[in-house]
Amino acid sequence: MPGRSSSDSSSSTTPTPSRASSPLPFSLHSSSSSETESNSPLLGLGRYTTSGDSRWIWRNWGSSSPRRRKRDGRRWRTFKGILRRIVRHPLFPRQPLTIILALLVFTVFAISLTLILLYVLNPDKEALPWRAYCTIPPITSVPPRYRNVLPYPYINPLPKVMPPSFPPDDLDTLAPAGLFLAVFSMDSSLERRMLIRTTWAAHPRSRNGAGEGDGGMGTSRTVVRFVLGQPRKGWERRIQSEMEMYNDMIILPCSENMNSGKSHAYFTWAASNAWVPPVYFNTTRPEPEFSYSNQHTPAPRLAPHDPYLAWKDSASGHPRPWVRPDYVAKVDDDAFVMLAELEARMRLELYATGQRPYGMPYTSSVSTSSRVEAPKVEPETGAPADTPISSMVEQEMPRDGSANDPLVYWGYLVKEKFMAGELYGLSWSLVDWVSKDPSVKGLTKGAEDKQTAKWMGLHPRAAEIRWSSDRCWIYDHPRSGTVYSHGFLFPSEVSRVKKSVLTLLDKVFRNSSTGTTTAVGTSMLLSLSHSSVSAFGTRYQQPLQEMDLAHSVEALVEGSDMSELQEEKSIDTERAWRTREGRITRYENRRVGGTVVVHFIKKHMWFLETALAFLEGDNYSQIELESLNADEGRLSVGLASVWTDSSVFKPTNASAAL
């Protein structure tokens, strides 16, 4: 992800002001001395009104005291002397052939030095072990600076008690979370905004989940808006028209930028203006009460992609007031988000206790990596060195009168330091504090994802903030070739990955003389980072040159038969297509539990590929349909497919369009 080093953050461009017009020649300037002096860029160098005077000025440009002229002359003579010695050296090339060879050697040296520096300074040198991340999820959400941080490659040790699988059985008995999600965009990105509006912001499979879905109940409180800085002059009218058409855009009172305060301006705006729909239905467990639960505002004008239940409520003629969101999140416009997956994970954080995942029982015997050590205070955070913290992760934190509000910082934890900038969210109390704290306002310049992590370190209850991370289901597009990229991931493949990784770890454990699985060798790291689709640092090449669009999208799915086809092997492409898994099988007959975010989608064609992989496709593949019982009841779901017939795509080389 945003590498998901500081560079892995979001990628937007700061608008460049128009070039100023060139000044007129001096001889064409007005002869008025007052006007000339007031507008002259050379004030203090003498008055000029004629071409002769201007030539005098240019001749005397840079003149100063005799002492300075003498010092400058000495430096110039020294430089000429050194240059003369180099030219007169016996090894200095003088013939055309030797000059060309010398230039060639110098060029090779410069290129080699540049490559070495790029390698040394690049924080992402090896592919990360995503298979281990999917196998062993974190068992604690204690902030990294209050615990023993994991060394590279940041693999969690095997816990004595594994956290419960996601999703829990009682997920849909919990009231949905209110989520205000802002897509960071810029004035010229109209086409990308339209792609988002018509795909993951509104599509039923993004909002409802897999299979039959839940009718949009889970995302009934999830609102998507586009956030921009001040548009450039040439774009103002177009942006205004777009705002009136879709009613889903927010213009912040700052210039368009990526790392110069836009994120802080957004959270400050959200603290006063972010609202989401209320809970429209009853749930088994009542909606939790927080300090902001009673804040409300009249229902606003809706956007086309707002939740179906909000539109239904609006059509009643007496819409219910909107309330404050439980979370305020931001996402880059080069990311593809599955809203039902995102909301489900954030919903569980509202009901989690202590610093443990939801549903994980308390245990007093934890691994040494989970024990809290003395807080490691970074100088820039300004946090007090004597911050009181608990001696164990699972111990409940003390609460004050207003501390029933959740303190959650959710995203992809990069190098145990910060949440990656492609998508992260803050609970409402943190947003409200960020907008008001004066110390935060002085930390708005710089990599925005790193700055947000610093804000969390300044919070009065920094040790209680839940740093909830998901390293498995947030990754980069398979074609990006970054350290965080692999094939499109589904729960069925992750189940197979878990089985193979646990078998590998068990083998290493039995063969290890120390009886531990914490040591990760090079060969083991390669196996844990293996992808059937992509390879780190290598440009993606589809398995076969001649593949139609449907086949090429299937080849981007991690672990699929299509992804393992090879030109030199005579494997039946149609057989690999027929034996692919349908959506019901891939999601293991569950509504959620798969990919949350695909990032680093730099081309519109990549975006459309991602939409086809996650929003389209048959619930059952052809071979699955053949193996099913002919009972109509069992086929009722499988035949409800929204996949476009692949026959409409001509069997041309799909890679040519990418």
Side-chain angles (χ1 to χ4, degrees), residues 584-599:
I584 299 296
T585 302
R586 280 179 172 168
Y587 279 92
E588 299 181 327
N589 208 26
R590 294 179 176 179
R591 184 176 68 86
V592 292
T595 293
V596 180
V597 179
V598 179
H599 179 234

Side-chain angles (χ1 to χ4, degrees), residues 42-91:
L42 304 175
L43 288 176
L45 295 178
R47 180 181 302 174
Y48 59 93
T49 56
T50 65
S51 58
D53 292 337
S54 65
R55 286 194 298 271
W56 179 87
I57 291 173
W58 287 113
R59 274 198 309 272
N60 291 274
W61 179 268
S63 62
S64 57
S65 63
R67 180 180 300 176
R68 181 173 180 178
R69 290 197 301 269
K70 184 177 181 181
R71 183 173 64 251
D72 293 342
R74 188 183 302 113
R75 292 175 180 174
W76 174 244
R77 288 192 297 273
T78 302
F79 173 76
K80 289 194 298 183
I82 296 174
L83 184 61
R84 189 181 297 110
R85 293 191 188 96
I86 294 175
V87 172
R88 292 178 178 177
H89 195 277
L91 297 180

Side-chain angles (χ1 to χ4, degrees), residues 351-561:
Y351 296 89
T353 58
Q355 296 284 10
R356 306 185 301 277
Y358 175 82
M360 185 172 183
Y362 171 82
T363 172
S364 60
S365 114
V366 294
S367 62
T368 56
S369 65
S370 298
R371 294 185 178 273
V372 177
E373 63 178 9
K376 292 174 281 187
V377 180
E378 301 177 6
E380 63 270 22
T381 63
D386 57 348
T387 305
I389 55 177
S390 60
S391 59
M392 299 293 293
V393 170
E394 280 75 11
Q395 181 176 341
E396 298 293 339
M397 300 294 182
R399 300 284 184 177
D400 56 31
S402 62
N404 289 327
D405 295 353
L407 300 176
V408 181
Y409 178 32
W410 189 93
Y412 184 109
L413 185 59
V414 179
K415 303 183 187 304
E416 299 287 289
K417 294 180 180 180
F418 59 93
M419 300 297 178
E422 66 265 26
L423 186 147
Y424 61 85
L426 303 178
S427 58
W428 174 256
S429 292
L430 293 177
V431 173
D432 187 55
W433 172 80
V434 164
S435 68
K436 298 175 181 177
D437 190 86
S439 58
V440 170
K441 295 179 180 179
L443 292 173
T444 60
K445 309 293 184 182
E448 56 98 10
D449 44 9
K450 290 185 176 182
Q451 294 300 96
T452 303
K454 292 179 182 179
W455 302 344
M456 299 302 100
L458 293 175
H459 195 275
R461 292 162 52 198
E464 300 179 51
I465 297 176
R466 292 178 55 85
W467 285 51
S468 300
S469 174
D470 194 328
R471 285 196 178 111
C472 178
W473 300 108
I474 302 177
Y475 52 90
D476 287 352
H477 192 279
R479 293 183 183 272
S480 64
T482 68
V483 70
Y484 302 98
S485 68
H486 52 71
F488 295 137
L489 207 55
F490 291 92
S492 60
E493 175 63 16
V494 169
S495 295
R496 292 187 286 268
V497 166
K498 288 181 179 180
K499 184 177 180 179
S500 63
V501 170
L502 289 176
T503 301
L504 175 63
L505 293 179
D506 181 67
K507 181 180 179 180
V508 172
F509 179 82
R510 286 186 281 103
N511 295 337
S512 175
S513 59
T514 59
T516 179
T517 60
T518 56
V520 180
T522 303
S523 60
M524 182 177 178
L525 185 60
L526 290 175
S527 64
L528 294 177
S529 61
H530 169 72
S531 170
S532 66
V533 177
S534 61
F536 170 56
T538 303
R539 183 179 180 182
Y540 174 79
Q541 296 289 337
Q542 63 184 25
L544 304 178
Q545 291 185 358
E546 299 297 330
M547 299 182 75
D548 62 28
L549 181 58
H551 290 181
S552 65
V553 171
E554 178 66 17
L556 294 173
V557 175
E558 188 67 42
S560 66
D561 291 341

Side-chain angles (χ1 to χ4, degrees), residues 90-355:
L91 297 180
F92 188 83
R94 292 180 175 82
Q95 301 299 324
L97 180 61
T98 57
I99 293 175
I100 294 175
L101 291 176
L103 291 175
L104 181 62
V105 170
F106 179 79
T107 302
V108 171
F109 171 77
I111 294 175
S112 301
L113 181 61
T114 302
L115 294 177
I116 292 174
L117 290 176
L118 289 175
Y119 178 81
V120 172
L121 298 177
N122 181 20
D124 302 319
K125 297 180 177 64
E126 299 178 13
L128 292 177
W130 64 270
R131 292 175 174 265
Y133 298 161
C134 293
T135 303
I136 315 172
I139 61 171
T140 178
S141 55
V142 172
R145 59 194 294 264
Y146 293 100
R147 58 177 168 83
N148 291 331
V149 298
L150 298 172
Y152 178 84
Y154 319 112
I155 298 178
N156 299 302
L158 275 174
K160 295 183 178 180
V161 178
M162 290 289 288
S165 60
F166 180 87
D169 295 335
D170 62 344
L171 172 65
D172 290 330
T173 67
L174 309 176
L179 172 61
F180 190 96
L181 179 61
V183 181
F184 275 30
S185 183
M186 60 181 301
D187 50 18
S188 59
S189 300
L190 171 62
E191 188 172 356
R192 181 53 62 94
R193 288 193 292 272
M194 291 305 301
L195 286 173
I196 293 173
R197 288 183 179 115
T198 55
T199 54
W200 62 260
H203 199 284
R205 282 183 169 169
S206 173
R207 283 193 167 270
N208 302 358
E212 294 181 330
D214 65 348
M217 299 176 71
T219 58
S220 61
R221 305 185 62 210
T222 299
V223 172
V224 178
R225 295 293 183 265
F226 296 95
V227 171
L228 292 75
Q230 293 292 321
R232 292 166 291 182
K233 282 190 174 298
W235 291 87
E236 290 176 349
R237 187 177 181 85
R238 281 174 279 188
I239 294 300
Q240 182 64 33
S241 300
E242 187 181 352
M243 292 175 65
E244 294 177 0
M245 173 69 73
Y246 298 102
N247 195 44
D248 61 356
M249 300 176 68
I250 300 163
I251 307 299
L252 299 175
C254 66
S255 60
E256 183 57 55
N257 66 86
M258 181 173 67
N259 295 318
S260 298
K262 182 176 180 179
S263 296
H264 184 266
Y266 161 60
F267 287 120
T268 302
W269 176 92
S272 302
N273 302 283
W275 303 94
V276 295
V279 178
Y280 291 117
F281 51 89
N282 296 326
T283 54
T284 304
R285 291 183 60 175
E287 179 185 3
E289 289 290 329
F290 302 122
S291 64
Y292 52 87
S293 298
N294 294 326
Q295 301 182 36
H296 55 82
T297 190
R301 178 187 164 201
L302 298 178
H305 47 73
D306 277 344
Y308 163 74
L309 292 182
W311 277 100
K312 184 178 179 180
D313 180 60
S314 177
S316 67
H318 302 282
R320 298 174 56 183
W322 283 29
V323 298
R324 289 299 187 190
D326 297 306
Y327 297 97
V328 176
K330 61 86 56 175
V331 62
D332 293 337
D333 64 359
D334 65 343
F336 192 97
V337 185
M338 297 295 285
L339 293 179
E341 301 281 358
L342 177 62
E343 186 279 330
R345 286 160 173 81
M346 289 191 160
R347 186 192 310 187
L348 294 185
E349 293 297 327
L350 294 179
Y351 296 89
T353 58
Q355 296 284 10

